mmCIF file of all heavy atoms in Angstrom:
data_model
loop_
_atom_site.group_PDB
_atom_site.id
_atom_site.type_symbol
_atom_site.label_atom_id
_atom_site.label_comp_id
_atom_site.label_asym_id
_atom_site.label_seq_id
_atom_site.Cartn_x
_atom_site.Cartn_y
_atom_site.Cartn_z
ATOM 1 N N TYR A 105 2.634 -0.137 -21.357
ATOM 2 C CA TYR A 105 3.835 -0.399 -20.570
ATOM 3 C C TYR A 105 3.789 -1.764 -19.893
ATOM 4 O O TYR A 105 4.630 -2.080 -19.062
ATOM 5 C CB TYR A 105 4.034 0.709 -19.528
ATOM 6 C CG TYR A 105 4.648 1.961 -20.107
ATOM 7 C CD1 TYR A 105 3.866 3.022 -20.527
ATOM 8 C CD2 TYR A 105 6.038 2.064 -20.266
ATOM 9 C CE1 TYR A 105 4.433 4.163 -21.073
ATOM 10 C CE2 TYR A 105 6.608 3.206 -20.798
ATOM 11 C CZ TYR A 105 5.813 4.247 -21.203
ATOM 12 O OH TYR A 105 6.373 5.369 -21.742
ATOM 13 N N GLY A 106 2.798 -2.546 -20.235
ATOM 14 C CA GLY A 106 2.722 -3.893 -19.662
ATOM 15 C C GLY A 106 2.399 -3.901 -18.178
ATOM 16 O O GLY A 106 2.690 -4.869 -17.476
ATOM 17 N N LEU A 107 1.799 -2.819 -17.682
ATOM 18 C CA LEU A 107 1.527 -2.748 -16.248
ATOM 19 C C LEU A 107 0.134 -3.229 -15.879
ATOM 20 O O LEU A 107 -0.212 -3.299 -14.710
ATOM 21 C CB LEU A 107 1.740 -1.314 -15.744
ATOM 22 C CG LEU A 107 3.216 -0.872 -15.787
ATOM 23 C CD1 LEU A 107 3.345 0.611 -15.490
ATOM 24 C CD2 LEU A 107 4.037 -1.678 -14.795
ATOM 25 N N THR A 108 -0.676 -3.524 -16.902
ATOM 26 C CA THR A 108 -1.965 -4.140 -16.592
ATOM 27 C C THR A 108 -2.251 -5.215 -17.625
ATOM 28 O O THR A 108 -1.802 -5.133 -18.763
ATOM 29 C CB THR A 108 -3.122 -3.111 -16.579
ATOM 30 O OG1 THR A 108 -4.324 -3.797 -16.209
ATOM 31 C CG2 THR A 108 -3.336 -2.461 -17.915
ATOM 32 N N SER A 109 -2.971 -6.242 -17.194
ATOM 33 C CA SER A 109 -3.405 -7.282 -18.128
ATOM 34 C C SER A 109 -4.914 -7.240 -18.261
ATOM 35 O O SER A 109 -5.518 -8.094 -18.888
ATOM 36 C CB SER A 109 -2.995 -8.665 -17.621
ATOM 37 O OG SER A 109 -1.647 -8.670 -17.252
ATOM 38 N N GLN A 110 -5.521 -6.221 -17.633
ATOM 39 C CA GLN A 110 -6.978 -6.161 -17.630
ATOM 40 C C GLN A 110 -7.490 -5.767 -19.015
ATOM 41 O O GLN A 110 -6.934 -4.889 -19.666
ATOM 42 C CB GLN A 110 -7.425 -5.127 -16.597
ATOM 43 C CG GLN A 110 -8.898 -5.208 -16.256
ATOM 44 C CD GLN A 110 -9.231 -4.345 -15.050
ATOM 45 O OE1 GLN A 110 -8.587 -3.341 -14.792
ATOM 46 N NE2 GLN A 110 -10.243 -4.741 -14.303
ATOM 47 N N ALA A 111 -8.576 -6.415 -19.446
ATOM 48 C CA ALA A 111 -9.181 -6.051 -20.722
ATOM 49 C C ALA A 111 -10.011 -4.787 -20.524
ATOM 50 O O ALA A 111 -10.447 -4.493 -19.411
ATOM 51 C CB ALA A 111 -10.063 -7.189 -21.233
ATOM 52 N N PHE A 112 -10.250 -4.052 -21.638
ATOM 53 C CA PHE A 112 -10.934 -2.767 -21.520
ATOM 54 C C PHE A 112 -12.315 -2.866 -20.862
ATOM 55 O O PHE A 112 -12.636 -2.066 -19.981
ATOM 56 C CB PHE A 112 -11.022 -2.086 -22.888
ATOM 57 C CG PHE A 112 -11.598 -0.711 -22.815
ATOM 58 C CD1 PHE A 112 -10.877 0.328 -22.243
ATOM 59 C CD2 PHE A 112 -12.885 -0.457 -23.274
ATOM 60 C CE1 PHE A 112 -11.417 1.605 -22.142
ATOM 61 C CE2 PHE A 112 -13.436 0.821 -23.184
ATOM 62 C CZ PHE A 112 -12.695 1.844 -22.613
ATOM 63 N N PRO A 113 -13.140 -3.870 -21.255
ATOM 64 C CA PRO A 113 -14.474 -3.934 -20.619
ATOM 65 C C PRO A 113 -14.376 -4.084 -19.098
ATOM 66 O O PRO A 113 -15.179 -3.492 -18.369
ATOM 67 C CB PRO A 113 -15.107 -5.173 -21.249
ATOM 68 C CG PRO A 113 -14.367 -5.378 -22.523
ATOM 69 C CD PRO A 113 -12.973 -4.888 -22.297
ATOM 70 N N GLY A 114 -13.388 -4.841 -18.639
ATOM 71 C CA GLY A 114 -13.207 -5.014 -17.190
ATOM 72 C C GLY A 114 -12.877 -3.686 -16.536
ATOM 73 O O GLY A 114 -13.446 -3.316 -15.503
ATOM 74 N N TRP A 115 -11.971 -2.944 -17.173
ATOM 75 C CA TRP A 115 -11.597 -1.633 -16.637
ATOM 76 C C TRP A 115 -12.804 -0.698 -16.604
ATOM 77 O O TRP A 115 -13.070 -0.025 -15.612
ATOM 78 C CB TRP A 115 -10.475 -1.035 -17.488
ATOM 79 C CG TRP A 115 -10.059 0.326 -17.041
ATOM 80 C CD1 TRP A 115 -9.169 0.631 -16.052
ATOM 81 C CD2 TRP A 115 -10.563 1.579 -17.546
ATOM 82 N NE1 TRP A 115 -9.080 1.992 -15.905
ATOM 83 C CE2 TRP A 115 -9.922 2.604 -16.810
ATOM 84 C CE3 TRP A 115 -11.476 1.935 -18.540
ATOM 85 C CZ2 TRP A 115 -10.171 3.955 -17.040
ATOM 86 C CZ3 TRP A 115 -11.728 3.277 -18.764
ATOM 87 C CH2 TRP A 115 -11.066 4.276 -18.016
ATOM 88 N N LEU A 116 -13.542 -0.699 -17.715
ATOM 89 C CA LEU A 116 -14.698 0.188 -17.832
ATOM 90 C C LEU A 116 -15.768 -0.166 -16.798
ATOM 91 O O LEU A 116 -16.344 0.705 -16.146
ATOM 92 C CB LEU A 116 -15.272 0.081 -19.254
ATOM 93 C CG LEU A 116 -16.240 1.163 -19.679
ATOM 94 C CD1 LEU A 116 -15.543 2.513 -19.717
ATOM 95 C CD2 LEU A 116 -16.842 0.837 -21.040
ATOM 96 N N GLY A 117 -16.013 -1.467 -16.629
ATOM 97 C CA GLY A 117 -17.023 -1.928 -15.677
ATOM 98 C C GLY A 117 -16.667 -1.489 -14.260
ATOM 99 O O GLY A 117 -17.521 -0.983 -13.520
ATOM 100 N N GLU A 118 -15.391 -1.655 -13.894
ATOM 101 C CA GLU A 118 -14.977 -1.228 -12.552
ATOM 102 C C GLU A 118 -15.083 0.285 -12.411
ATOM 103 O O GLU A 118 -15.422 0.794 -11.343
ATOM 104 C CB GLU A 118 -13.551 -1.702 -12.268
ATOM 105 C CG GLU A 118 -13.504 -3.195 -12.033
ATOM 106 C CD GLU A 118 -12.119 -3.692 -11.648
ATOM 107 O OE1 GLU A 118 -11.155 -2.897 -11.703
ATOM 108 O OE2 GLU A 118 -12.017 -4.874 -11.301
ATOM 109 N N GLY A 119 -14.787 1.000 -13.519
ATOM 110 C CA GLY A 119 -14.912 2.453 -13.497
ATOM 111 C C GLY A 119 -16.360 2.863 -13.241
ATOM 112 O O GLY A 119 -16.629 3.800 -12.481
ATOM 113 N N ALA A 120 -17.300 2.133 -13.860
ATOM 114 C CA ALA A 120 -18.720 2.454 -13.673
ATOM 115 C C ALA A 120 -19.118 2.235 -12.217
ATOM 116 O O ALA A 120 -19.843 3.053 -11.630
ATOM 117 C CB ALA A 120 -19.575 1.600 -14.605
ATOM 118 N N ILE A 121 -18.642 1.134 -11.628
ATOM 119 C CA ILE A 121 -18.975 0.872 -10.217
ATOM 120 C C ILE A 121 -18.384 1.961 -9.334
ATOM 121 O O ILE A 121 -19.062 2.500 -8.450
ATOM 122 C CB ILE A 121 -18.434 -0.508 -9.778
ATOM 123 C CG1 ILE A 121 -19.091 -1.607 -10.603
ATOM 124 C CG2 ILE A 121 -18.694 -0.729 -8.294
ATOM 125 C CD1 ILE A 121 -18.443 -2.959 -10.420
ATOM 126 N N SER A 122 -17.113 2.328 -9.599
ATOM 127 C CA SER A 122 -16.555 3.340 -8.696
ATOM 128 C C SER A 122 -17.212 4.698 -8.922
ATOM 129 O O SER A 122 -17.357 5.466 -7.974
ATOM 130 C CB SER A 122 -15.032 3.418 -8.735
ATOM 131 O OG SER A 122 -14.563 3.443 -10.001
ATOM 132 N N LEU A 123 -17.674 4.960 -10.157
ATOM 133 C CA LEU A 123 -18.399 6.217 -10.376
ATOM 134 C C LEU A 123 -19.689 6.233 -9.556
ATOM 135 O O LEU A 123 -20.034 7.240 -8.931
ATOM 136 C CB LEU A 123 -18.708 6.403 -11.869
ATOM 137 C CG LEU A 123 -19.615 7.594 -12.201
ATOM 138 C CD1 LEU A 123 -18.997 8.896 -11.711
ATOM 139 C CD2 LEU A 123 -19.888 7.672 -13.698
ATOM 140 N N ALA A 124 -20.393 5.091 -9.531
ATOM 141 C CA ALA A 124 -21.646 5.030 -8.759
ATOM 142 C C ALA A 124 -21.364 5.317 -7.282
ATOM 143 O O ALA A 124 -22.082 6.093 -6.638
ATOM 144 C CB ALA A 124 -22.295 3.657 -8.922
ATOM 145 N N ILE A 125 -20.288 4.706 -6.752
ATOM 146 C CA ILE A 125 -19.947 4.928 -5.336
ATOM 147 C C ILE A 125 -19.554 6.392 -5.117
ATOM 148 O O ILE A 125 -20.025 7.047 -4.195
ATOM 149 C CB ILE A 125 -18.793 3.986 -4.926
ATOM 150 C CG1 ILE A 125 -19.233 2.526 -5.055
ATOM 151 C CG2 ILE A 125 -18.343 4.280 -3.496
ATOM 152 C CD1 ILE A 125 -18.092 1.534 -4.929
ATOM 153 N N THR A 126 -18.686 6.897 -6.009
ATOM 154 C CA THR A 126 -18.224 8.277 -5.866
ATOM 155 C C THR A 126 -19.385 9.263 -5.954
ATOM 156 O O THR A 126 -19.427 10.254 -5.222
ATOM 157 C CB THR A 126 -17.225 8.616 -7.000
ATOM 158 O OG1 THR A 126 -16.250 7.600 -7.046
ATOM 159 C CG2 THR A 126 -16.554 9.959 -6.774
ATOM 160 N N ALA A 127 -20.329 8.997 -6.870
ATOM 161 C CA ALA A 127 -21.431 9.940 -7.054
ATOM 162 C C ALA A 127 -22.256 10.045 -5.777
ATOM 163 O O ALA A 127 -22.612 11.149 -5.355
ATOM 164 C CB ALA A 127 -22.300 9.502 -8.235
ATOM 165 N N VAL A 128 -22.521 8.902 -5.131
ATOM 166 C CA VAL A 128 -23.342 8.940 -3.914
ATOM 167 C C VAL A 128 -22.569 9.604 -2.765
ATOM 168 O O VAL A 128 -23.067 10.539 -2.123
ATOM 169 C CB VAL A 128 -23.780 7.516 -3.513
ATOM 170 C CG1 VAL A 128 -24.477 7.546 -2.156
ATOM 171 C CG2 VAL A 128 -24.699 6.941 -4.582
ATOM 172 N N ILE A 129 -21.329 9.137 -2.530
ATOM 173 C CA ILE A 129 -20.550 9.709 -1.419
ATOM 174 C C ILE A 129 -20.246 11.180 -1.697
ATOM 175 O O ILE A 129 -20.374 12.035 -0.821
ATOM 176 C CB ILE A 129 -19.248 8.900 -1.206
ATOM 177 C CG1 ILE A 129 -19.622 7.478 -0.781
ATOM 178 C CG2 ILE A 129 -18.377 9.556 -0.134
ATOM 179 C CD1 ILE A 129 -18.442 6.550 -0.631
ATOM 180 N N GLY A 130 -19.873 11.480 -2.960
ATOM 181 C CA GLY A 130 -19.583 12.862 -3.329
ATOM 182 C C GLY A 130 -20.828 13.738 -3.193
ATOM 183 O O GLY A 130 -20.755 14.873 -2.724
ATOM 184 N N GLY A 131 -21.977 13.196 -3.594
ATOM 185 C CA GLY A 131 -23.229 13.945 -3.465
ATOM 186 C C GLY A 131 -23.478 14.318 -2.008
ATOM 187 O O GLY A 131 -23.846 15.459 -1.697
#
Side-chain angles (χ1 to χ4, degrees):
Y105 280 95
L107 292 171
T108 183
S109 311
Q110 194 169 29
F112 185 71
W115 178 84
L116 195 64
E118 287 184 352
I121 298 169
S122 47
L123 173 59
I125 297 169
T126 310
V128 173
I129 296 176

